[in-house]
Amino acid sequence: DADVTQTPRNRITKTGKRIMLECSQTKGHDRMYWYRQDPGLGLRLIYYSFDVKDINKGEISDGYSVSRQAQAKFSLSLESAIPNQTALYFCATSETATGELFFGEGSRLTVL
Amino acid sequence: GESVGLHLPTLSVQEGDNSIINCAYSNSASDYFIWYKQESGKGPQFIIDIRSNMDKRQGQRVTVLLNKTVKHLSLQIAATQPGDSAVYFCAENFRPDTGRRALTFGSGTRLQVQP
């Protein structure tokens, strides 16, 4: 089983709908991250959390919100999805702030 | 703009040749760098890392070089194999807007290995 699990893996939705992407991890790491990947733009940081009470905005947090329900769970929400939020979303964890990131397999979101 | 970038978006090499993927970073406060490999349909996977107190670090068939003077990072892959075909990202660990450390990624270089 994967150490970092994302659900759903694929989702197609319509403009204006609320979407939640969920991430759970079994690595026991305190630090969790949400990244967005677009062709030619690499991975951009949306939000990150260093523990359940510590949530930080990343480079592109507008239009997104997160919830750290427990050490092992970090969810990303799009309150009102728009087409330019069509992308591949990755959750990741790390043991330290300066250490290796462990990524999930990604959630592909299409907003029509 | 991005604080981490790459010189070449696509690199094509012959199987068996050595590959060099370059990366420029702009933040002198970054003290930790990682190279990731992303195969099609998968999440990025760690290749090798280097801290700023080092100039070179070697792994299995891979070497990372760090030149802090010109803020340049490179990944060298020896005897490139078809399985090395992927997109490679460099990342640095400084967040210039908040000062809180988190990894910031470049846009990636696609490595194509020709048989």
Side-chain angles (χ1 to χ4, degrees), chain A residues 3-21:
Chain A
D3 293 322
V4 183
T5 303
Q6 293 182 229
T7 57
R9 294 293 312 280
N10 287 284
R11 181 72 182 271
I12 300 173
T13 191
K14 295 182 179 180
T15 297
K17 295 292 187 181
R18 184 178 186 274
I19 295 298
M20 177 179 286
L21 305 179

Side-chain angles (χ1 to χ4, degrees), chain A residues 9 33 35 37 40-43 45 48 50 54 56-59 88 90 97-101 103-105, chain B residues 2 31-32 34 36 38 41-46 51 89 93 95 97-98 100-108:
Chain A
R9 294 293 312 280
Y33 309 78
Y35 285 88
Q37 185 173 36
L41 293 178
L43 291 151
L45 184 62
Y48 57 110
F50 284 1
D54 182 5
N56 303 278
K57 292 184 177 180
E59 304 169 74
L88 184 57
F90 285 100
T98 57
E100 176 186 354
L101 289 176
F103 285 86
E105 292 294 295
Chain B
E2 294 183 306
D31 62 2
Y32 180 67
I34 304 182
Y36 282 88
Q38 186 178 23
K42 296 184 178 180
Q45 291 184 301
F46 173 91
R51 297 196 180 275
F89 296 96
N93 79 327
R95 290 290 302 149
D97 52 351
T98 66
R100 300 289 298 275
R101 293 185 180 276
L103 284 179
T104 302
F105 286 80
S107 57

Side-chain angles (χ1 to χ4, degrees), chain A residues 32 36 38 43-44 49 54 72 78-79 87-88 91 95 101:
Chain A
M32 298 188 73
R36 167 178 172 161
D38 297 277
L43 291 151
R44 293 182 291 168
S49 169
D54 182 5
L78 289 69
E79 295 301 326
L88 184 57
C91 175
E95 187 173 10
L101 289 176

